[in-house]
Structure formats: structure tokens, C-alpha cells
Amino acid sequence: MGYTEEELAKDLENQEYKFGFTSNFESDKAPNGLSEEIIRFISAKKEEPAWLLAKRLQAYEAWKEMTEPEWAHVHYDKPSFQDICYYSAPKQSKKYESWDDVDPEMKETMAKLGISLEEQQRLTGTAVDFVMDSVSVATSFKKKLNELGIIFCSFSEAVQDHPELVKKYMGTVVPSKDNFYAALNSAVFTDGSFCYIPKGVRCPMELSTYFRINEGGTGQFERTLVVAEKGSYVSYLEGCTAPMRDENQLHAAVVELIALDDAEIKYSTVQNWYPGDKNGKGGVYNFVTKRGLCERNAKISWTQVETGSAVTWKYPSCILKGDNSIGEFYSVAVTNNYQQADTGTKMIHLGKNTKSTIISKGISAGHSHNSYRGLVQIHGNAENARNFSQCDSLLMSDTSGAHTFPYIECKNNSAKIEHEATTSKIGEDQIFYCKQRGIDEEKAIGLIVNGYCKEVLNQLPMEFAVEAQKLLEISLENSVG
Amino acid sequence: MLTIKNLHATVGEEGLEILKGLNLEVKPGEVHAIMGPNGAGKSTLASVLAGKDGYEVTEGSVVFEGKDLLELETEDRAKEGVFLAFQYPVEIPGVSNINFLKTAINEIREHRKQEPLKAKEFMAKVRESSALVELDPKLASRSVNEGFSGGEKKRNEIFQMAMLQPKLSILDETDSGLDIDALRIVSDGVNKLKNENNAVIIITHYQRLLDHIIPDFVHVLADGKIVKSGPKELALELEEKGYDWLNAEKV
Amino acid sequence: MEITAENKVLKFVEGLIPPSDGTSIRKEALQALNGMDFPTTRVEEWKYTRVGRITNKTFQQEERKANIEKYKITNLDAHLVVFVNGYFDASLSTIKEDKALSVQSIEKLDLDYYSEIMEETEENVFSLINKGYQTGGVYIKVGENEKTAYPIHLLHLTTGEGIISNAQHFIHLEKGSKTELITTYDSDEAENSFTNIVIEGHIEENANLTIQKLQFEEKNVFHISNEFFVQDPSSQFKINTITTGSLLTRNGLNVIVEGENCHTEMNGVYLGTENQHLDNHTLIEHLYSNCTSSETYKGVMDDKSTGVFNGKVIVRPNAKKIEAYQSNGNILLSKSSTVNSKPELEIYADDVRCSHGSTTGQLDEDAIYYLRTRGISEQKAKKLMVAAFIGEVLDKVDNSDIRKKVDQHFLEHFGWVF
């Protein structure tokens, strides 16, 4: 008869990683392993000021005392931290003056990723800070942003050009001892992005960074810092793809957002790192710490569409410190084959009249496990705090798992918290209905899943939403024979 | 157009036989009404023709436009021009009616080797079709059937029928849950869509829909078979006497 | 078996009466206890409940005489089985003529049968202390296709300071049988005493067990219960847990559904005042298809009390067509009250319909205002609203004598009328 769940599962297994290719750069690599010397080497390579080196070494000391977290609902072979290379940079270290100067091979790489910088620049007016293996090599639209006083550059540049800002804000939201991976990142981070929006400025374009892991066995330790001064606004986009690899690649990024009074930061992520093959071999470990701080009347909105990585451990969070501040988390996480995701958010309500919204949609296929883990914490002084959470899970195979672990902690009797969660199978009657209207199974599933995730996809900026939808389709793509 | 011969079908894992040798011939331009008591197999017939999982054809044949319908996948039957107006239309949250229909129409057009419909043409068609069943055009941009009233769902089915222009439409208990006004609207819609090239099978328990859509033939389905066929007056007779006299007659 | 490791558990059990030969269940528990430690809040299962207040103390086991009249349930026509400080008191108990029922000492429970039935359950340090050092308990059996003529009331009273009550019970419903078990917990001048109870049960095919648990101890004692139940195919199990008692309560309730076509229902009400800490920790584990489960817990926290709800539903692979519903509602009446809610779903099968919801808030101000405009005092309006909030769960207590007892208790202790 019709197309069964098992057949769907089979089709999903067979889908190949679309962006699996490798580009050949010669790298300026540090020897594998982690030690004080390596950290000094990284710091020296990057010509960092002494205070930053001191910070790194402090973090390293703390990290040595810490153990890897084991509470997440994921199982994997722990990375060997002495087998990782903590520094590699493309050999051409000089900065490009213009787009024409950029290495043609890099251009080709980007074209394969489907994110042609030229097209992005021309069509969308998006400034792109392209990070290739930890070192920023192309930055555009800098001039226009300069006029507004907006700083958007690589983290290393920021350390050189705006040390006072970096020093003031770095580590204030994610302290270096926050957790095992944040400590590791704080010790060995190589580069990342820095963004500063001055008081009252509304950033006129979406700021984008495309990350890419490119060097076999190279850990990625990105550091992102976004500071929105009082009354400013910025929408920041981050998207990732990674080439196909056999060995596991560790990615432990730290993202810190600071929204001062009346500021708003919208941070969107589309993540499609290599998830491993259909037998669960290879793939990226994505252990990220993302957190934002909201001062008075500020708003931070996290939107993520996650389809990649072998193991994901990620909880973009909001500390709602200021009165009337708002935190939002919109997430779609798709897992397939042997992928494992433990993702969610933390909404920490400290200020009065703080509000948070959590919309999470998990889709599990193949043998994957997809967990939502979220914390809503209302502190004693958070009068009239409000939270609404909706966590839905859709199961596409009987060998996959969908788990929901919400933590709701309330210490204020004027708070109102609502949490709802559902777990169900994709509706066979819905698929039949679509098919009766002439839509084949594959398209029907695409339609239904996209509909299921609509609330989240609607939060993405237009051009990103298209990319995200495409990603969902690719992730659930199958070839009905 | 449609020839059903000695159709036997079972349902579920137990293999309970519901259709027990059904015969039916439908020609272009005709309207057939299939009536019968509850449990006679009316909805099973609709499901078997549309290709729903869980039903197994154990004997007989169904030929549609020269093709073996039973060999086709559900969506291919739809592409060939078989349309089922569901008794209970399902809700698909987050998927707009427009997006849904655009996907369906373009799939069908691709099958017919036609170019995808241009956005402007498509929207014109949406306006025209929604007017036909007096459906608020706003509903077209809402999620498929989500939050629709019972009557709106049924009208939405006929709206889709107008959009997809099938050759054979099967209306499964379309009158259930419709008040007198909605019944008129739906019937008018179906009547306007009717022409010499298409055909309609109306599956219904009651005769009231047949006051509005006049059938050329009325068939009585009982215990998995057509036990009596006749002109439209048969429906009135059934309404008056109920279904019990058929059993008496059979004996 | 000797406990050799130098740890807190060893210190804790030092003051207890060393177990005599006992049953092999006892021996196994003592062996399992060896080397165990008390949980800290770093242990996920105990994240919101600190047991240090219990484990830093020492307790004695002491058989006592007591007057239980005021702890009986008025008009309830039931088999009465009384435990004072964890010791069975035959003189206070009344087991009536009932061909469906056999009540024996827990020592009579067969280890082979017991181990086979309970092999999937997960012990913890408190259940093991109970089993290792139990001072009494009953093994209740309801015969095949029989229904007990009366409900069974297990009355527990703790009296005297620094007492530990370790009663251990097992209830076995044979195929097609049915009964209602009422377990009540009270204390009398029992400052710093600790009720450490274990009730386990096996509900065979087509059997039906209802439990009404009333935990009304005074607010100067500790209470940890471990309740484990195993359901066979087509069985039904329902438990209503009403908790207002003790300074620190941990109600651990685990049900493993080991057959198709079962229904499991858990309802709970917890009302906290003063410094109380009331923790409800539940697990429903579905191993087979076509089962339903429903869980509704509601809490009202006043003063400086803390409420905890941690409910987990697990659907194992190949358990199809499971419908599991879980809901937790909380109202905080005072500024210093706290609630921690953690409703969890772990789903390893696809053809399921599971949902949970959790709400935390305060009484509806508009509704209170409305009542006041009708001449009802604010205090009374609040009581009415609280009553309406938990009334939904209380209505699931379908034994009218029990319901009366609950209503009377709420009236006496909270002034709440339902």
C-alpha cells in the first residue's frame, strides 16, 4: 500500500550530506594538545595584550579542575583533549582590501555552500564576516557600518582595535568558569566575531557570520560578543555548514550578548554541521554556551534551526536582569540517523515584569534522540514575571526518541508560568489528505513539517527563513522510488 | 469513466469483509448517488477508491479512464483526476490553504505536463473558487481546516474541488453537519462545477442533498453490494420507507 | 550481612536494632545498602530536596502503645491494620471475615516471587534502609476473581521523639481481583521522628487496585515513602495522594506497566504551610502497547513552604498507541513560598500521544474581586478559590468516607471548606 514510516526512515538514512567536500588550505597549525605553552603560543600568535593572556591562563587553570558534564541525555565518545589542535590559521594571513583580492578557492568554497558572498552583498545588503578556520579573512560593508559607529569585526581585530570594549564586556555574561566547555573556550579561543552597536543606533542590515569547520581534527573555539548600547537594535545571523569528516570534530563556542537599557538583539542561527553518516560515524560535537543579558526594557530573542551535528549540547539563554525585559527562544531541532541533541534554553527572571516565551519544536527521525531541556527560573524579586513555554515533539520513526525535561522553579507568588508539551507521531491522516490532493509523500511530509515549525520559522529574517526551510527539506529529504 | 466490477474489500488486520461484490459504472456527465444504511460500506467504498491504507481489495477490479486504479498510489489517483471530499477533513496546523493548494495544483499540472500556474492566475482562481462556495477569502490564507467550523470544512472541500477540477468527485457524506443555508451553498457549488466531461458520486445516508444535486442514478448499498438501482425517485422512496423494506424485498 | 564501609549510612543505621536472621529480602537489602551513600542535590532525582535534615540525625526504633481513636476514619467499614512506630499492633487491629483476603506478616512473602515481580524497580537508600531494618508490615493477598468485602485501612501512627517508623508492606492482587487500600499517616508528639515507609504491589491481569493515601502527620516530623507497583496486562491502578503533613515529605511513587491494555491513574494534592517541604516524585513506565495513563497533581503553597513536583513518563521502544497525560498546577499564596516543577517525558516509541502541562501562578485577582463585590470577605474568597483549584483533584477521591475525612482535615487545619 502506501509509503510507510519504515520506508521513510530508510530514505532518510540514504540522504547524503549535501555540503560534504573539502577545500585544501595550507594551515599555520599549532601542535596537537593543550598546555600552558599552547595557550601562550595562541596568545602570542594573535599578538594579544597581557590581560587577555592572563584571562586565558586563569580559565585554563579552572578548566583543569573541571569535569565534563554528564547530565545531558546524550552518549558519545569523549573527545581526547590532547589530540586536538588548538590553533590553525589559513596561511595567507594578510587581510583582503577588497572582494577581488579574496582567494578564488575560498570563493568557490562559499559558492558550494550556497552563500555566495557577492550575491549576498548585492541582493540582500548583508554584511558578511566570513570565518574560515578560526581566522577572519573577509569583511565587508565595514565602511557603511563605520559611518553609524557600528563595530562589526573579527574578535581578534576587536582585541587590537577596541581593547577597552572587549575587556569591559568579555566574560561578563558567560564567566570563564561557567562550565567545562566555556572554560575550555575561554582558554583557547582563536577568533570569532565582535559587534558593537552604539547608543540609539538601529543597525540597518542583518549582520551575518558564516562559520565553517575546515581543518581535519581542528577544534573550533569561536568567541562571539555582541554589545547593544542603550536604545539600539541589531539583528545578527549565524549560519554554519561543515565538510564531511570521519573523525569527530569538537566545537565549543561561546556567545555572549549584552542588551543594555531599551536595546534589542535578535540572534538567529541556522546550523547544519556535518551530522555523521547514516551509521552514526563522524560528525561534529557541538557544545556551545550561548547566553544573553538584558538590562531594563531590553529584549533578546534567540531563534535557531538546528539540523546538523552528531551531538548537540546547547541552551541559548536569557538573564532577564532589568525590569520589563523580555527573553524569547524559538527553536526547531531536527535529528536523523544517529544524531543526538539535548537543547533548550534557560530563562532567568531577576527583574520585575520580565517576560519570556519559549517555543520549541523537535523532530526525531531514524535512530536519533532529541531532547528538550529548559529552565524557567523566577527569583524572589521578579514581581509579575511571565513565562509561556510550548514544547512539541514529532516522531518520524519508532527507533527514534523524543524527550522533554523542563525545569520550572518559582520563588515569587505574583509570577505566572505556563508550560505545555506534546509528543506525537506525524499524522497519517494528514499525509493521506495531502496525497488525495495529488501531493506525494515526500512533499506532504515537507509541508506538514514546515507547517509544524511555522511559529519558529516566522521569527527568522526573510532571506534566512528561505534557507532554513531548504535545510529542513534537505534534512528530511528522501527519494521515493 | 469509472468501472467497478465485483469489488471485494476487507478492513483491518482481522480482514473483515466490508465490500462483497460491488458493481458500478459511471460515465462522464453523470451524477450517481449511493445511499444505504449505516455500516453498509459507503465510506469504505470512498476510502478504497482513494487508496487509503488499511483496506485490502481481495477481489474485483476498478478501471478509471482505462487505467487500473487499484495499481496507482493515492497521489497518482488524485493526479489522474479522482477527488475525495472527506467526511471528516483533517486539520494541518501551520500549512496555509494557499500553500497547500498551490503545491497540489502544481503537482497535478506537472503530471499533466503543464507549466506551473503563475501566481497571478493562481490567485485569480482562488478568488473565483472561494466565491463559488461563498468561502471567506481570508480562510484561504489560514491553516488547512484549522479552527474551521464543520460547515467551513465542508465548504473548503468543495473549494478545493473547484481549484483542482477533478474528473471524478466523490462526496463522502458531504451534507452531514451542514445547515440548510450551507447545504444550498455547497450544492450550488457542485452544480456549477458539473459539466459533460466530469462525474460525481454522492455518498449519503439521507436524501436531502439530492434535493439540491439531482442525481441521474440512485444506488442502494447494503451489506457491501449494490442491491437496487433506479432513477432519482428511488431516493424519495428510500426517504419515505427507510431501508428496512429492501431487506424484506431481498428475502 | 555486615555493613563495613565507613559512611553516613552506616552511622545512620548504627542506632537501629540490628536485624535478626530475618528473611532473605532483608538480607538482600542490607547487602545492597553496603557502600551506599545518601543523595545530595547534585543527584538529579534529588535536585530539589535536601535530605540532610533527616540523615544528620539519629533515630530509634521503639514499640509503643497508643490511642488511635482520633486517627480512625469515621464510619469507614474496613479491615483495620494498625502500625505504631512501624510495629504491628494486633490489639488495635480488626481484620474481618473476608474470603477474598489474606493478611500475613511481610516475613511470609516468598523471595523468589518477590524478586521476579520487583526486579525492574529501582531501589534507593531509603527503601533499602526500610527493607533492611523493617520492624513489621503486612503481606496482603486478594484471591483470584475475588473482590474484598471491605476496603483495607493501613493506619500508621508515629509517637514519641526521635523515632524511625520502618513498616514495609506488599499487596498482591491475583487475576481479576479488586480492592481498595487506604493508607493513613499521622503523628502524635513525635518531634524529629521519621516515617520511612515502603509499599509495593503486584496487580495481576484484569485486577483493579485503588489506593487512597492521606499523609496528615504533624509538621515536626519527616516522611519518605517509596511506593512501587507492577501492573500486569489489562489491569487498572489508581492512587490518590493527599499530603499536608510533615516538615519534609518525599512521596516516591513508581509504576511499571508490564502489559497491554492497562490504565494507570495518579492524582495528588499537596498543601504546604510554614516551613514545609513537600516533594512528589512519580514515574510511570510504559513497556507495552495500548495503555493509557493520567496524572494530575495540584499544589498550594503558603508561608515559607516549598512544593516539588517531578513526574516522569517513559514510553519504552515498541510500546505503541500509548496515551499519557500529565498535568501539574501550582498556586503560590505567599511571597516566600516556592515551587519547583519538573514534568518529564521520555519517549522511545513513535505511535504515541503524550502531553504534559504545568502551570504556576496565583489566585485570579479578578475572580477574588468579583466574589468580594458579592459580599464575600477577601479571606473567604481566597479559600473558595483554593478549594475550587484543588477540588478538581479531590473529586477523584470517590470513597465518600475518605472524602469526608479529607474535608474535615482541611476544615480543621486550613479552615477550607470544599
Side-chain angles (χ1 to χ4, degrees), chain A residues 1-4 429-430 432-441 443 447-452 454 480, chain B residues 52-53 55 73-75 78-79 82-84 86 90-91 93-95 99-100 104 107-108 145 157 160 164:
Chain A
M1 295 294 285
Y3 188 74
T4 63
D429 49 348
Q430 292 174 333
F432 177 64
Y433 191 82
C434 292
K435 283 166 78 174
Q436 211 300 308
R437 297 300 184 253
I439 301 168
D440 67 36
E441 181 111 8
K443 278 216 173 68
L447 264 180
I448 294 165
V449 167
N450 266 309
Y452 185 78
K454 196 168 194 173
V480 181
Chain B
K52 189 172 182 168
D53 280 352
Y55 296 88
E73 288 292 334
T74 297
E75 62 269 35
K79 287 173 189 169
V82 176
F83 180 89
L84 173 62
F86 284 72
V90 66
E91 299 186 359
V95 178
N99 189 12
F100 175 70
E107 289 281 303
I108 292 170
N145 292 322
E157 292 294 286
Q160 291 182 22
L164 301 177

Side-chain angles (χ1 to χ4, degrees), chain C residues 43-248:
Chain C
V43 176
E44 188 66 28
E45 301 289 297
W46 295 84
K47 185 177 166 68
Y48 295 117
T49 299
R50 289 179 191 282
V51 294
R53 275 188 289 184
I54 302 174
T55 58
N56 289 334
K57 291 193 170 61
T58 48
F59 300 95
Q60 287 87 49
Q61 292 165 307
E62 190 186 318
E63 197 167 359
R64 278 208 193 189
K65 286 285 153 204
N67 183 341
I68 56 153
E69 278 316 302
K70 71 172 183 184
Y71 307 113
K72 284 185 179 172
I73 296 167
T74 319
N75 295 329
L76 181 71
D77 197 5
H79 303 290
L80 180 65
V81 188
V82 178
F83 288 84
V84 179
N85 291 355
Y87 291 87
F88 174 60
D89 190 326
S91 66
L92 297 173
S93 303
T94 327
I95 295 165
K96 306 182 182 209
E97 184 68 35
D98 195 334
K99 70 179 168 67
L101 184 70
S102 100
V103 180
Q104 305 170 72
S105 159
I106 188 72
E107 306 281 337
K108 297 278 192 271
L109 183 57
D110 179 63
L111 179 74
D112 291 339
Y113 161 75
Y114 174 80
S115 309
E116 199 192 318
I117 294 306
M118 288 291 141
E119 67 176 351
E120 297 293 330
T121 60
E122 223 170 279
E123 302 279 1
N124 59 55
V125 63
F126 295 104
S127 67
L128 291 171
I129 289 175
N130 170 286
K131 289 176 186 177
Y133 295 88
Q134 55 91 354
T135 50
V138 280
Y139 170 34
I140 297 167
K141 193 150 97 179
V142 185
E144 193 167 329
N145 295 320
E146 299 275 7
K147 182 185 171 197
T148 57
Y150 311 95
I152 305 149
H153 181 186
L154 300 181
L155 188 155
H156 302 85
L157 176 67
T158 301
T159 178
E161 286 182 24
I163 298 293
I164 183 167
S165 299
N166 275 330
Q168 182 202 353
H169 309 299
F170 191 92
I171 180 160
H172 179 184
L173 275 81
E174 292 191 328
K175 284 180 186 160
S177 66
K178 183 173 183 177
T179 195
E180 180 179 8
L181 186 68
I182 298 145
T183 62
T184 60
Y185 301 87
D186 293 280
S187 70
D188 182 27
E189 295 184 2
E191 192 150 6
N192 285 325
S193 285
F194 174 29
T195 300
N196 184 33
I197 184 88
V198 169
I199 299 184
E200 291 166 308
H202 177 204
I203 306 148
E204 285 194 29
E205 207 165 332
N206 290 312
N208 184 327
L209 174 63
T210 299
I211 297 182
Q212 318 279 8
K213 173 176 178 178
L214 309 182
Q215 209 281 76
F216 292 166
E217 289 167 331
E218 290 167 316
K219 288 163 196 169
N220 55 4
V221 302
F222 309 103
H223 180 105
I224 290 183
S225 72
N226 278 291
E227 295 168 323
F228 303 107
F229 296 92
V230 174
Q231 283 187 258
D232 283 356
S234 302
S235 64
Q236 291 179 56
F237 175 59
K238 172 175 169 174
I239 180 163
N240 298 318
T241 306
I242 314 235
T243 309
T244 64
S246 98
L247 182 60
L248 190 163

Side-chain angles (χ1 to χ4, degrees), chain A residues 407-446:
Chain A
Y407 297 68
I408 300 151
E409 303 176 3
C410 181
K411 284 189 190 303
N412 188 299
N413 69 324
S414 60
K416 213 171 196 170
I417 309 168
E418 283 173 84
H419 168 94
E420 286 168 25
T422 63
T423 303
S424 55
K425 187 184 174 179
I426 188 162
E428 270 167 12
D429 49 348
Q430 292 174 333
I431 295 175
F432 177 64
Y433 191 82
C434 292
K435 283 166 78 174
Q436 211 300 308
R437 297 300 184 253
I439 301 168
D440 67 36
E441 181 111 8
E442 184 183 325
K443 278 216 173 68
I445 289 169

